[in-house]
Amino acid sequence: LWGTWRFSVQDVYYKRPDISLEEATEHLGRNWVWVLLAGLALAVIGAIALMTPLVSTLGLTLALAGVFTASGVVQLVQAFKLREHQGALNRFLHALLALALGAVMLWIPEAGMLVISMMLSVYFFLNAIIGFMFAQTLAPQSARVWAYVNAAASFILGFYIVFTYPLSALWIPGTLLGIELVVTGAGLAGLAFSIRKLHHQHTTGAPHVFART
């Protein structure tokens, strides 16, 4: 959290060389409440998603369908504008594919749930393979053990989704979405309190721990 705060201040500071470090710190410090509210909102939404995994999975499916549909419309407009240029057929095909996926997921959301669940299993399997390969490159034995544990956990999750398929498609995506939102919300809340504390230290004259180079 401290690193996030430090780089947030430095990001404002370096992108706006016309303002001082004190001004950048003051600007971020005044907005810590908004960061806290955003974190609490995400945590609450994540908790609701965990309590209603089927509903959250359906919502995730419909949201993804909307993304595909909107992307297909944009690509179709672009393909029409560039119809005289090379690659027009590919652009039209990509647009129609995105529109078709969006339409199917909107019309038959159960199919979208199945696809999302299977994609998650593939992701976990790939993450496990990459994790095992990465673990072999680590020198400290303790770090290697934790890397193997992480890879094994990913493999178990992927295997569980496949083993319980298609029932897992009804609740796994929504549950993972809820966990992600809760963790992200908690992180933002913690960051908000860190911002508040550091801003208080700054206003009381505490020495800076980073400076322009």
Side-chain angles (χ1 to χ4, degrees), residues 50 162 195:
L50 286 173
V162 173
I195 290 174

Side-chain angles (χ1 to χ4, degrees), residues 2 7 42 65 100 114-115 119 140 179 189 211:
W2 165 252
F7 287 117
L42 286 178
L114 295 175
V115 172
M119 289 174 60
I179 294 174

Side-chain angles (χ1 to χ4, degrees), residues 44-199:
V44 170
I45 294 173
I48 295 174
L50 286 173
M51 290 186 292
T52 57
L54 178 58
V55 175
S56 56
T57 299
L58 178 60
L60 177 63
T61 302
L62 295 178
L64 186 59
V67 170
F68 275 119
T69 303
S71 174
V73 171
V74 172
Q75 292 183 56
L76 188 62
V77 172
Q78 183 184 30
F80 181 78
K81 289 182 178 180
L82 301 177
R83 62 186 182 278
E84 302 296 336
H85 295 74
Q86 186 177 2
L89 179 59
N90 289 334
R91 284 189 286 271
F92 274 111
L93 291 177
H94 287 161
L96 293 177
L97 177 61
L99 287 173
L101 287 174
V104 170
M105 295 177 70
L106 285 173
W107 188 257
I108 314 176
E110 296 84 357
M113 294 181 185
L114 295 175
V115 172
I116 292 175
S117 182
M118 190 54 63
M119 289 174 60
L120 285 173
S121 67
V122 172
Y123 165 78
F124 284 124
F125 281 130
L126 291 177
N127 190 58
I129 295 173
I130 295 173
F132 278 117
M133 295 173 60
F134 175 70
Q136 296 175 2
T137 64
L138 298 177
Q141 186 65 25
S142 58
R144 183 178 299 181
V145 169
W146 284 112
Y148 279 129
V149 170
N150 180 67
S154 294
F155 179 82
I156 292 173
L157 281 172
F159 179 78
Y160 178 81
I161 293 175
V162 173
F163 184 75
T164 59
Y165 192 84
L167 292 179
S168 59
L170 299 177
W171 64 274
I172 284 288
T175 301
L176 293 178
L177 175 64
I179 294 174
E180 170 68 18
L181 291 175
V182 169
V183 172
T184 302
L188 282 177
L191 175 61
F193 286 115
S194 296
I195 290 174
R196 180 177 179 270
K197 179 180 178 180
L198 292 170
H199 180 247

